[in-house]
């Protein structure tokens, strides 16, 4: 995989009324903690992983909005798995993904 299209993803996220708080490796953390985004090997597809503690009804509308904006930008935001944030020290977290 070459350069990740972070700029394009940022444009999509902001057009959907959200913001990015942090990007690390292939993960993009949004200002809220309901879900995060993950780059794939396909530059036109992003996975959306939902926080296991998030309200699914609230997240559903946010994800649909992201997916609609992404389609208009020739990108696909697909549902991935669930994840849990686990404290791993003073200033660290561990992310566990589940099917």
């Amino acid at each position: 995989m070459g350069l990740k299209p972070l700029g394009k993803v940022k444009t999509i996220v902001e057009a959907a009324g959200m913001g990015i708080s942090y990007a690390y490796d292939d993960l993009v953390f949004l200002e809220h903690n309901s879900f995060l985004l993950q780059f794939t090997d396909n530059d036109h597809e992003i996975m959306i992983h939902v926080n296991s503690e998030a309200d699914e009804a609230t997240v559903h509308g946010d994800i649909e909005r992201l997916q609609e904006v992404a389609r208009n930008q020739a990108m696909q935001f697909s549902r991935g798995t669930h994840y849990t944030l686990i404290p791993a020290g003073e200033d660290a977290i561990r992310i566990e993904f589940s099917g």
Side-chain angles (χ1 to χ4, degrees):
M1 178 168 53
L3 291 176
K4 298 170 185 85
L6 182 59
K8 192 168 195 174
V9 169
K10 182 177 187 282
T11 299
I12 292 167
V13 168
E14 290 175 350
M18 300 172 213
I20 292 174
S21 64
Y22 186 70
Y24 177 77
D25 195 29
D26 66 341
L27 299 176
V28 178
F29 297 86
L30 302 183
E31 288 177 347
H32 61 74
N33 204 22
S34 299
F35 54 87
L36 58 81
L37 307 176
Q38 183 178 29
F39 291 100
T40 66
D41 289 336
N42 178 344
D43 287 343
H44 299 284
E45 182 179 23
I46 304 294
M47 298 302 294
I48 303 171
H49 301 290
V50 178
N51 188 324
S52 60
E53 297 177 4
D55 176 28
E56 194 68 38
T58 302
V59 170
H60 182 73
D62 289 342
I63 290 173
E64 282 187 339
R65 198 165 56 250
L66 264 179
Q67 289 173 325
E68 182 179 336
V69 173
R71 275 191 296 275
N72 294 333
Q73 298 286 328
M75 296 277 295
Q76 179 178 349
F77 279 43
S78 304
R79 284 293 294 256
T81 62
H82 285 86
Y83 71 93
T84 303
L85 297 176
I86 300 168
E90 189 173 315
D91 292 325
I93 58 168
R94 190 174 83 237
I95 303 171
E96 281 189 8
F97 291 93
S98 59

